[in-house]
Amino acid sequence: MSAKKTKAPICIIIGASHAGVNCAFALRREGWEGEILLIDTDPHLPYHRPPLSKSFLTEEGGVEKIALRPAASYEKERIERVIGKVSAIDRAKKQVKLTDSRAFTYDKLVVATGARPLIPPIPGLQENKRVFTLRHAEDITQIRKALHNSQAKRVLIIGGGYIGLELAASLAKLEAKVVVLEREQRLLARVTAPALSDFFLDLHQARGVQVCNGKHVIAIHTTADYSQVECADGTIFDTDLIILGVGIIVNTELAEAAGLDIENGIKVDETTCTNDEHIYAIGDCSFHYNSYYDTFVRLESVQNAVDQAKVAAANICCKHTTYQALPWFWSDQYDIKLQTVGLFQGYDEAILREEPDKDNCFSVWYFKGSRLLAVDAVNSAKAYVVGMKLLKERSLVDKAKIADPNSPLKPALLLEG
């Protein structure tokens, strides 16, 4: 009598951006022998997101150029891509249901649903066909097409965050006439110090981009040939294209409806597991504990997505692993590379360090009391690397040495004492 064949376990991943795709491949590396289903609404082969606002906009070519993995690799690793929209997670039946009535049963589930662009309730916005958002490759394709069809090439970006500024730099490269409207009194007000805000303001204005701070958009009016953006102070801007970059909404609806804990995202423990032992959440949608800052945070970054993907895969394969990564980010604008390590929230002192005899090369070091919290490095890879080492080691740094451009950027020489 033959032995009864054991059914292979199934891991389903909802979302095929950086978090979801990296988790699928990490599962194979960790030894997962069962099925892996990667469910996503985007029919394209999963692709890198950071280039969308940069090279993908300015250079011709399809989405294949920025694919996360070659198509053949999914087949090789037995990762099945399922195109469809998930409508519900049934925890009792351990099922994922799609809008087209398909249903898949899981043993382990990973929620990597990410986020979507915030559409503010501005009168005239919803019905305006000249308004674009940025989240998918198709969004950029439509922006590029609209810009090509516009004779005046006037583009107005609502939102002066990193995405808005990266778009402004790329559009300026395409010889568009760009206006950036920021509601706050300075650019990047929620993510960096005034010194960085002033630097990027000057940078964009020097490249021909009109940046207007303190502009609260209250209405958008449409004519046959162009749009008018009206602000609370009475100013009106004529434009051919409007691009929104005012923030995101975290995609937590599926998780919330399934009864998972929600708090500024899907709340997970140090292993990326939710309050259901069979369900994990990773990437932009997860609200997780960060040991460096002793608090829960939600991060929108490729680094966080990739690192959490590895942790989730290891734990699904019964290899206990905790998330201990130090956050880092980057932004490319024109010939400027900003690299950030750490989280600056709660800082009470920001020290500017300028590198002698180097144009546009400096760093900002954020402290809370004597403790180093984060470093912003502009065209200074050395400051970024040194800052990361000091943060990882939780070193006490001599602030005077940081501020002194003649003091060498070497970790051992920057310590107190």
Side-chain angles (χ1 to χ4, degrees):
M1 185 175 179
S2 60
K4 185 178 179 180
K5 188 176 181 179
T6 304
K7 180 179 175 294
I10 300 174
C11 182
I12 295 178
I13 302 171
I14 306 174
S17 190
H18 292 87
V21 170
N22 278 280
C23 186
F25 284 89
L27 280 168
R28 288 293 182 228
R29 290 195 301 271
E30 294 291 351
W32 181 266
E33 294 291 342
E35 295 182 51
I36 300 175
L37 272 60
L38 189 60
I39 304 177
D40 196 41
T41 57
D42 195 328
H44 290 109
L45 195 67
Y47 48 85
H48 289 276
R49 303 286 171 152
L52 292 182
S53 59
K54 299 182 275 287
S55 61
F56 189 72
L57 173 60
T58 58
E59 301 171 6
E60 294 296 330
V63 72
E64 299 80 13
K65 289 177 59 177
I66 56 172
L68 283 167
R69 299 269 182 161
S73 63
Y74 294 88
E75 183 176 352
K76 178 182 178 182
E77 297 295 342
R78 295 181 293 116
I79 297 169
E80 181 181 352
R81 292 179 57 229
V82 177
I83 307 303
K85 183 177 177 60
V86 177
S87 60
I89 298 169
D90 188 330
R91 290 169 57 194
K93 294 182 179 179
K94 297 177 73 174
Q95 267 190 350
V96 169
K97 300 177 181 179
L98 275 60
T99 54
D100 59 10
S101 299
R102 286 181 292 173
F104 300 94
T105 302
Y106 64 84
D107 293 284
K108 296 293 182 181
L109 176 65
V110 180
V111 182
T113 46
R116 61 187 183 275
L118 170 66
I119 310 296
I122 300 172
L125 183 68
Q126 297 282 355
E127 58 271 27
N128 192 310
K129 295 183 179 179
R130 301 188 185 102
V131 175
F132 301 88
T133 57
L134 172 58
R135 197 69 181 178
H136 303 286
E138 184 59 28
D139 297 329
I140 292 297
T141 300
Q142 294 303 318
I143 290 171
R144 191 192 294 127
K145 186 183 300 184
L147 185 64
H148 178 75
N149 293 334
S150 168
Q151 289 186 341
K153 289 192 174 182
R154 297 174 299 182
V155 183
L156 186 142
I157 299 171
I158 302 177
Y162 285 126
I163 291 296
L165 295 180
E166 288 173 359
L167 274 171
S170 297
L171 290 164
K173 186 177 180 180
L174 294 174
E175 299 183 345
K177 300 171 184 175
V178 185
V179 175
V180 176
L181 302 184
E182 169 55 47
R183 184 170 180 171
E184 302 293 333
Q185 293 303 313
R186 62 181 178 90
L187 297 174
L188 307 169
R190 292 184 292 274
V191 294
T192 196
L196 262 293
S197 300
D198 294 342
F199 172 78
F200 281 108
L201 174 64
D202 293 342
L203 175 70
H204 282 274
Q205 289 181 333
R207 304 299 177 101
V209 174
Q210 183 181 354
V211 180
C212 303
N213 292 324
K215 294 293 183 181
H216 174 34
V217 178
I218 59 170
I220 295 177
H221 310 286
T222 304
T223 72
D225 300 318
Y226 60 92
S227 296
Q228 291 185 317
V229 177
E230 180 183 355
C231 298
D233 61 4
T235 53
I236 293 178
F237 297 86
D238 296 341
T239 187
D240 302 302
L241 286 74
I242 300 168
I243 304 177
L244 298 177
V246 294
I248 56 96
I249 296 176
V250 186
N251 293 326
T252 59
E253 290 84 357
L254 283 173
E256 187 169 10
L260 300 180
D261 289 344
I262 305 296
E263 184 182 345
N264 188 27
I266 306 170
K267 194 169 185 179
V268 297
D269 64 16
E270 68 277 6
T271 70
T272 73
C273 190
T274 68
N275 55 302
D276 184 319
E277 63 178 334
H278 304 293
I279 302 178
Y280 295 74
I282 57 177
D284 292 5
C285 68
S286 76
F287 186 58
H288 62 278
Y289 179 73
N290 186 285
S291 62
Y292 282 94
Y293 300 96
D294 191 25
T295 188
F296 277 82
V297 296
R298 191 183 58 76
L299 300 175
E300 299 160 28
S301 75
V302 172
Q303 166 267 325
N304 177 65
V306 173
D307 287 342
Q308 284 193 324
K310 295 174 182 176
V311 172
N315 285 294
I316 288 171
C317 294
C318 301
K319 300 177 182 179
H320 182 74
T321 307
T322 58
Y323 185 70
Q324 300 287 340
L326 182 65
W328 55 267
F329 316 84
W330 80 92
S331 178
D332 294 314
Q333 300 171 44
Y334 308 108
D335 56 350
I336 300 299
K337 176 177 282 292
L338 168 67
Q339 294 172 285
T340 296
V341 57
L343 302 175
F344 88 129
Q345 286 81 3
Y347 82 97
D348 54 29
E349 185 177 6
I351 296 176
L352 175 66
R353 178 190 172 92
E354 297 181 294
E355 301 304 326
D357 304 321
K358 293 182 180 180
D359 293 333
N360 295 330
C361 181
F362 65 94
S363 52
V364 180
W365 300 65
Y366 300 89
F367 291 86
K368 183 176 183 180
S370 60
R371 183 189 175 195
L372 178 65
L373 294 180
V375 178
D376 283 332
V378 173
N379 285 351
S380 180
K382 193 168 187 179
Y384 170 75
V385 171
V386 170
M388 178 173 285
K389 180 176 176 59
L390 293 171
L391 282 164
K392 282 185 174 180
E393 295 176 352
R394 305 175 191 261
S395 302
L396 289 178
V397 182
D398 189 323
K399 296 178 183 179
K401 293 177 182 176
I402 287 293
D404 181 4
N406 296 312
S407 181
L409 264 180
K410 295 182 179 180
L413 301 180
L414 294 174
L415 302 181
E416 279 193 347

